[in-house]
Amino acid sequence: MGDIYGIIVNFLQEGGLFMYPISIVLVLGLAIAVERWLFLKREKSRNEKTFQDFLPLLRTNDQEKMALFTRDHTAAISRIIGCGLDMMKITKQRADIEQAMNEGVMEVLPRLENRTNYLAMLANVATLLGLLGTIIGLIAAFAAVANADPADKSALLSQSISVAMNTTAFGLIAAIPLLIASAIINNKTNAIIAGIEMGAMKFLNVMTLNRAVEAGYPKDERRDS
């Protein structure tokens, strides 16, 4: 363990000043990734539980109780269904109700996607900082070699280039896990959004069917509609 720690410290020290901002970018990106993962995991659980608790009310077709349920719960699926129930008080047109629920989806999207786009940006910043550190290191290396003893120029240049390349390597080391985390969190966010939309569509279909039953439509006509 001590040897590994010494290698890491030596690697960071040889890379120069640009290793520090890259380290900050990496830590910041990992902190965002962990926070988003925990948040999305909690949101997924909340939405699934809320919809399961809502299903018995949906089967009763009691809109007043359903409206009370949506006001008492803060999960995204609850707010979206609440938008649909509010619109049902104004119109019975499925398209209008669906539009109101889509607007509800648009309201919850920013909260689910918040800060996720920073991960890809931080990965790019880490890569660019690594390249910038290498370029500045190479400029300094060639300037130093120009004034060095001719016999030592080759060894000095080789050593300077090796040190300068450390920043590029560290920039990539920071960028790769951030890009992977960005992809994983985006996929998890999309899965939650798909689950919310599916729950909202189930609610809308059941309410449409119940309204058809109340209107006394023939079975075949309900199926065709």
Side-chain angles (χ1 to χ4, degrees):
M1 180 64 73
D3 292 340
I4 296 176
Y5 177 77
I7 292 172
I8 294 174
V9 171
N10 186 59
F11 176 76
L12 293 175
Q13 289 177 342
E14 288 184 350
L17 293 177
F18 276 85
M19 303 295 268
Y20 296 103
I22 296 173
S23 299
I24 294 173
V25 169
L26 176 59
V27 171
L28 181 60
L30 292 177
I32 292 174
V34 171
E35 184 273 331
R36 286 288 87 193
W37 174 265
L38 295 176
F39 172 80
L40 293 174
K41 184 178 180 180
R42 184 173 65 251
E43 283 297 299
K44 181 180 180 182
S45 177
R46 286 180 62 211
N47 281 291
E48 290 176 349
K49 184 179 185 304
T50 299
F51 190 69
Q52 290 300 319
D53 293 342
F54 180 77
L55 281 177
L57 287 177
L58 184 58
R59 298 187 182 100
T60 66
N61 197 30
D62 189 334
Q63 295 188 23
E64 290 299 325
K65 289 184 178 180
M66 285 189 277
L68 288 173
F69 180 93
T70 59
R71 285 196 289 269
D72 292 338
H73 292 76
T74 59
I77 185 65
S78 178
R79 294 200 297 273
I80 293 167
I81 291 174
C83 292
L85 289 169
D86 290 340
M87 183 58 67
M88 286 180 184
K89 298 176 182 178
I90 302 173
T91 178
K92 298 298 182 182
Q93 296 295 321
R94 179 186 173 100
D96 294 333
I97 299 169
E98 188 172 358
Q99 179 62 31
M101 295 178 73
N102 287 335
E103 291 176 359
V105 173
M106 297 301 295
E107 290 178 3
V108 303
L109 277 180
R111 188 163 178 259
L112 294 174
E113 297 176 342
N114 192 26
R115 290 186 294 279
T116 301
N117 60 329
Y118 289 161
L119 292 174
M121 181 197 72
L122 289 172
N124 290 329
V125 169
T127 303
L128 293 175
L129 284 173
L131 291 173
L132 181 60
T134 296
I135 291 172
I136 292 177
L138 290 176
I139 293 173
F142 282 115
V145 168
N147 299 320
D149 186 271
D152 299 331
K153 281 188 176 182
S154 178
L156 181 60
L157 181 61
S158 176
Q159 181 181 2
S160 300
I161 292 175
S162 176
V163 171
M165 294 300 290
N166 283 357
T167 55
T168 296
F170 190 48
L172 294 175
I173 289 172
I176 291 171
L178 293 182
L179 287 175
I180 294 173
S182 176
I184 292 173
I185 291 175
N186 277 321
N187 286 337
K188 193 171 185 65
T189 302
N190 291 335
I192 293 173
I193 294 171
I196 291 173
E197 292 176 342
M198 182 63 69
M201 188 57 62
K202 287 181 180 179
F203 161 79
L204 187 58
N205 289 338
V206 171
M207 297 302 292
T208 301
L209 180 60
N210 290 339
R211 190 169 68 249
V213 171
E214 290 175 356
Y217 290 169
K219 183 177 180 181
D220 293 340
E221 185 175 345
R222 294 200 306 266
R223 185 178 300 170
D224 292 340
S225 61

